[in-house]
């Protein structure tokens, strides 16, 4: 959710930077700060906790003057919401300041190394690691760009980093690593802008350059020079963003669905923000109104939702039962209240909803309230009805607006929040101690980066598969355990946007009926990552092959056996078994998208569907 803005040019930098940050307020944040440089005044840092209005008030009392500056709105990840943890962060010499969006996956390692070298940390943030590294490398080379290249070469994760240095007073260096944090450069008349998101600078320019993964831009009053992190020159012409606000919001993408699929790494990171404390081995939900004692009392959870959100609830059942050892029943919200459920005093209702306005889900929450059962809502839309009526509090996804009717980023974000909730419950109930939490937290931190690599690797394969299969009339999706709901979700995505009939099945059930459908015309999408059920999935694939079905397999990278059995394979990186669904679903979203595109369907507004279903 963090925002980045930078400016170099004749205007008052403070106005441009703070104004740009205000444009990004919708993304949410809990503190803000700016660094402005002026040859006479030197480096002026102003930071404050809370909303930008606090920073603005501070700037009235202590103005920051200059024509070069960077600013940041922070949504806490590592370290609490304090002025010291707010960006920008300085290196030990005080010459370099940096701001960052993203998560430094290996910050504990890097911090330990820097502490050993005698560096004293003043904040609890991962970003301070970057500031010190840049400072140390700058002392060796005397070049901010070189120091940034060396530093980013050591970071693991998805990061957007922007730095300035008092010894290079006419320069901003911005870099992007991975796909979790975007960097856009704006070109004006003799002035330059940097931002994490387009809206921050649209008041000044529509001529934009987007940095790609592992690229770095050196911005001076003479122009912008882009290189790779390895130092090779990159030629990139600016693109012009249209003035139409809808097209502008869609940015570089053809459809909102495509944009939202690509936004997933960042959305996953935003879902983690402020909730993971790696050093303490703990999970926090600031917005949850249930304390440890209340969580210990929960004996049963009713997870309820509709459509894609219902698939998220099905995956959540696996997460909560395995990690926290609490029973979970999953209901379609539209069925829940009509079955006269017997809830009981120590039950908890967990509603999943992107819009927070789905009438059936709201009715299920009402049923819980009537039976004096606490409810929690895993919800995206801030201030929506579900967020307001959940008495245990909304657990927000922080995924940003989802416009495409077919839900994508909200689904994967729901899975991340459900996993965090399962860990929070496990922490309260003592089924996982701090040390046992560590591998889960590390795997979560690595997830946005892995999602980015899945998107990149599966795009060309899915486009090619769509070319091959877009004329089929039916498709079957198979998965087992937590990947069974992913089979359902893959089938739903395909049918809702391409109008191809598709079924999702638990693979073990295939021989009890659906196997009759398989012939050489039937694509069977098999989700088969290497987990404990993998050998069974392989035998299911054999059963499909024996009937001449065409196997499209989603499996773990490097799986030769699977490759030998499938007609096509899409690989995902290894992760913890219960986190796999967050990665395996991504190629299915892309496959559905490319098939719909190839069939000429209206991807963002498929027929008969609405984004928010407020009628029964
Ligand atoms: C499918 C889809 C729908 C929604 C369902 C619930 O892509 O988007 O199935 O998941 O209508 O909507 P929310 O999550 O807003 O309650």
């Amino acid at each position: 959710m963090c925002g980045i803005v930078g400016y170099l040019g004749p205007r008052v930098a403070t106005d441009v930077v703070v104004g740009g940050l205000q444009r990004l307020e919708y993304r949410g944040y809990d503190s803000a700060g700016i660094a402005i440089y002026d040859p006479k005044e030197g480096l002026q840092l102003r930071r404050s906790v809370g909303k930008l209005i606090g920073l603005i008030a501070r700037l009235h009392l202590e103005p920051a003057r200059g024509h070069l500056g960077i600013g940041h709105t922070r949504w806490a990840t590592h370290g609490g919401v304090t002025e010291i943890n707010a960006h920008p962060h300085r290196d030990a010499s005080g010459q370099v300041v940096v701001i960052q969006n993203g998560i430094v996956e290996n910050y504990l390692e890097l911090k330990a190394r820097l502490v050993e070298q005698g560096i004293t940390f003043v904040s609890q943030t991962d970003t301070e690691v970057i500031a010190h590294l840049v400072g140390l490398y700058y002392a060796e080379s005397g070049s901010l760009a070189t120091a940034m290249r060396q530093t980013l070469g050591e970071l693991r994760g998805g990061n957007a980093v922007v730095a300035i240095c008092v010894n290079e007073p006419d320069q901003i260096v911005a870099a992007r690593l991975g796909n979790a944090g975007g960097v856009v450069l704006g070109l004006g008349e003799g002035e330059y802008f940097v931002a994490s998101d387009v809206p921050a600078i649209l008041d000044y320019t529509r001529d934009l350059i987007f940095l790609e993964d592992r690229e770095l831009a050196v911005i001076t009053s003479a122009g912008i020079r882009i290189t790779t992190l390895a130092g090779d020159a990159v030629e990139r012409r600016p693109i012009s963003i249209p003035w139409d606000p809808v097209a502008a919001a869609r940015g570089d993408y053809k459809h909102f669905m495509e944009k939202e699929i690509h936004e997933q790494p960042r959305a996953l990171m935003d879902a983690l923000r402020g909730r993971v404390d790696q050093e303490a081995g703990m999970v926090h939900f600031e917005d949850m109104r249930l304390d440890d004692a209340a969580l210990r009392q929960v004996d049963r959870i009713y997870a309820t939702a509709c459509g894609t959100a219902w698939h998220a609830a099905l995956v959540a059942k696996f997460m909560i039962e395995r990690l926290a050892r609490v029973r979970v029943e999953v209901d379609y919200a539209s069925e829940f209240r009509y079955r006269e459920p017997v809830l009981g005093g120590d039950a908890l209702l967990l509603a999943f909803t992107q819009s927070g306005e789905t009438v059936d889900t709201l009715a299920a929450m009402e049923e819980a309230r009537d039976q004096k059962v606490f409810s929690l809502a895993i919800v995206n839309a801030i201030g929506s009805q579900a967020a307001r009526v959940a008495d245990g509090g909304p657990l927000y996804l922080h995924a940003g607006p989802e416009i495409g009717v077919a839900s994508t980023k909200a689904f994967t974000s729901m899975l991340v929040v459900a996993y965090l909730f399962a860990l929070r419950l496990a922490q309260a109930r003592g089924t996982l101690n701090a040390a046992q939490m560590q591998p889960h937290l590390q795997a979560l931190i690595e997830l946005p980066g892995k999602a980015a690599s899945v998107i990149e690797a599966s795009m060309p394969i899915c486009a090619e598969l769509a070319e091959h299969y877009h004329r089929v009339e039916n498709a079957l999706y198979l998965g087992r355990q937590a990947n069974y709901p992913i089979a359902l979700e893959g089938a739903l995505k395909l049918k809702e946007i391409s109008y191809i009939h598709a079924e999702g099945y638990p693979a073990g059930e295939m021989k009890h009926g659906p196997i009759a459908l398989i012939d050489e015309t039937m694509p069977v999408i098999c989700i088969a990552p290497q987990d404990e059920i993998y050998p069974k999935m392989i035998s299911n694939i054999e059963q499909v092959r024996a009937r001449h079905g065409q196997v499209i397999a989603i499996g773990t990278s490097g799986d030769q056996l699977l490759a030998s059995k499938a007609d096509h394979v899409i690989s995902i990186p290894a992760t913890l078994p219960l986190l796999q669904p967050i990665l395996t679903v991504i190629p299915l979203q892309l496959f559905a998208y490319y098939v719909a595109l190839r069939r000429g369907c209206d991807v963002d507004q498929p027929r008969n569907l609405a984004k928010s279903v407020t009628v029964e």
Side-chain angles (χ1 to χ4, degrees), residues 88-298:
H89 288 285
R90 248 179 302 202
D91 77 319
S93 75
Q95 295 178 328
V96 170
V97 285
V98 305
I99 52 181
Q100 190 239 162
N101 278 1
I103 295 177
V104 182
E105 288 174 11
N106 54 337
Y107 102 100
L108 286 178
E109 257 165 63
L110 294 171
K111 184 170 176 177
R113 195 181 89 199
L114 288 164
V115 168
E116 217 167 87
Q117 283 176 250
I119 301 279
T120 308
F121 277 73
V122 292
S123 77
Q124 288 105 44
T125 64
D126 52 349
T127 305
E128 196 183 338
V129 164
I130 303 178
H132 290 307
L133 282 173
V134 175
L136 290 174
Y137 286 127
Y138 182 78
E140 284 170 15
S141 66
S143 155
L144 183 61
T146 307
M148 280 278 279
R149 273 191 209 102
Q150 286 173 291
T151 301
L152 269 90
E154 293 200 31
L155 304 186
R156 261 199 354 248
N159 316 88
V161 186
V162 179
I164 58 175
C165 174
V166 288
N167 299 331
E168 306 206 37
D170 178 42
Q171 191 177 106
I172 300 176
V173 178
R176 170 174 171 181
L177 187 65
N179 291 319
V183 178
V184 57
L185 311 172
L187 287 76
E189 290 282 315
E191 58 182 353
Y192 300 94
F193 306 83
V194 186
S196 50
D197 304 80
V198 174
I201 53 179
L202 276 186
D203 283 349
Y204 304 103
T205 177
R206 302 265 154 171
D207 294 329
L208 308 176
I209 295 177
F210 292 88
L211 282 193
E212 301 287 342
D213 178 18
R214 306 192 74 77
E215 286 182 354
L216 174 141
V218 177
I219 302 146
T220 64
S221 47
I224 294 178
R225 197 162 43 83
I226 302 175
T227 60
T228 63
L229 286 188
D232 301 324
V234 173
E235 280 301 320
R236 174 125 349 109
R237 294 172 69 80
I239 58 161
S240 269
I241 288 282
W243 287 93
D244 161 26
V246 175
R250 214 171 41 228
D252 225 4
Y253 296 98
K254 220 170 162 169
H255 297 99
F256 280 106
M257 182 181 177
E258 185 194 15
K259 176 172 185 255
E260 286 153 9
I261 290 174
H262 282 81
E263 277 174 351
Q264 288 179 111
R266 182 161 172 182
L268 301 186
M269 203 158 67
D270 288 342
L272 292 171
R273 269 182 208 292
R275 292 168 171 169
V276 172
D277 184 341
Q278 270 187 293
E279 287 183 47
M282 291 177 82
V283 167
H284 307 282
F285 270 110
E286 230 174 63
D287 24 17
M288 188 161 76
R289 293 191 282 271
L290 293 176
D291 59 11
D292 278 7
L295 290 173
R296 271 196 295 273
Q297 252 182 17
V298 174

Side-chain angles (χ1 to χ4, degrees), residues 346-593:
D346 30 24
L348 177 76
L349 184 101
L350 192 56
F352 290 72
T353 170
Q354 186 286 128
S355 63
E357 303 293 348
T358 301
V359 71
D360 288 317
T361 309
L362 293 172
M365 294 175 80
E366 210 173 292
E367 175 70 36
R369 196 164 345 111
D370 289 349
Q371 294 202 37
K372 314 247 173 312
V373 163
F374 252 61
S375 62
L376 278 174
I378 294 187
V379 57
N380 193 34
I382 311 276
S384 58
Q385 181 76 358
R388 293 197 305 272
V389 300
D391 27 33
L395 306 185
Y396 281 123
L397 305 182
H398 297 302
E402 190 179 64
I403 314 278
V405 163
S407 186
T408 51
K409 65 174 179 174
F411 177 69
T412 45
S413 300
M414 278 177 189
L415 298 189
V416 165
V417 174
Y419 202 89
L420 286 169
F421 176 68
L423 290 177
R424 177 68 189 86
L425 208 54
Q427 180 180 305
R429 301 169 71 84
T431 54
L432 291 176
N433 62 29
Q436 290 164 326
M437 292 280 262
Q438 291 293 358
H440 295 280
L441 301 182
Q442 184 62 31
L444 279 167
I445 291 292
E446 290 173 8
L447 206 60
K450 289 185 178 172
S453 68
V454 174
I455 295 171
E456 201 174 324
S458 42
M459 258 177 6
I461 311 174
C462 290
E464 208 181 299
L465 287 174
E467 196 54 44
H468 199 81
Y469 289 107
H470 69 276
R471 286 200 192 85
V472 298
E473 286 174 10
N474 300 289
L476 189 60
Y477 288 72
L478 302 177
R480 300 189 72 130
Q481 298 288 299
N483 275 306
Y484 154 54
I486 300 306
L488 296 179
E489 175 60 8
L492 180 65
K493 287 284 94 82
L494 189 70
K495 64 187 142 195
E496 67 183 337
I497 61 168
S498 76
Y499 318 137
I500 291 174
H501 171 242
E503 299 263 8
Y505 256 92
E509 270 295 298
M510 181 183 61
K511 55 189 170 297
H512 301 287
I515 199 163
L517 295 169
I518 298 175
D519 62 15
E520 63 287 348
T521 65
M522 176 72 101
V524 185
I525 295 93
C526 301
I527 308 162
Q530 283 168 332
D531 54 14
E532 57 212 11
I533 202 82
Y534 170 77
K536 304 276 177 213
M537 201 59 217
I538 290 289
S539 7
N540 297 135
I541 290 174
E542 294 285 14
Q543 290 157 4
V544 174
R545 275 160 52 94
R547 273 96 196 158
H548 309 293
Q550 305 200 17
V551 176
I552 301 170
I554 319 284
T556 309
S557 306
D559 185 344
Q560 297 300 328
L561 177 67
L562 189 64
S564 72
K565 304 220 174 279
D567 296 281
H568 314 273
V569 181
I570 305 172
S571 297
I572 57 150
T575 182
L576 294 181
L578 289 171
L579 291 174
Q580 279 166 353
I582 300 169
L583 301 180
T584 53
V585 76
I586 293 174
L588 306 187
Q589 299 168 339
L590 282 165
F591 178 61
Y593 173 73

Side-chain angles (χ1 to χ4, degrees), residues 1-6 17 21 29 31-35 46-48 52 55 70-75 85-89 98-102 127 160 196 273:
M1 313 288 290
C2 306
I4 282 180
V5 183
V17 171
L21 293 175
Y29 62 98
S31 54
I34 60 169
R46 308 282 183 267
R47 300 182 294 186
S48 94
L52 278 167
L55 182 66
I70 57 176
H72 186 267
T73 42
R74 171 176 188 253
W75 185 277
N85 286 337
H87 301 212
H89 288 285
V98 305
I99 52 181
Q100 190 239 162
N101 278 1
T127 305
S196 50
R273 269 182 208 292

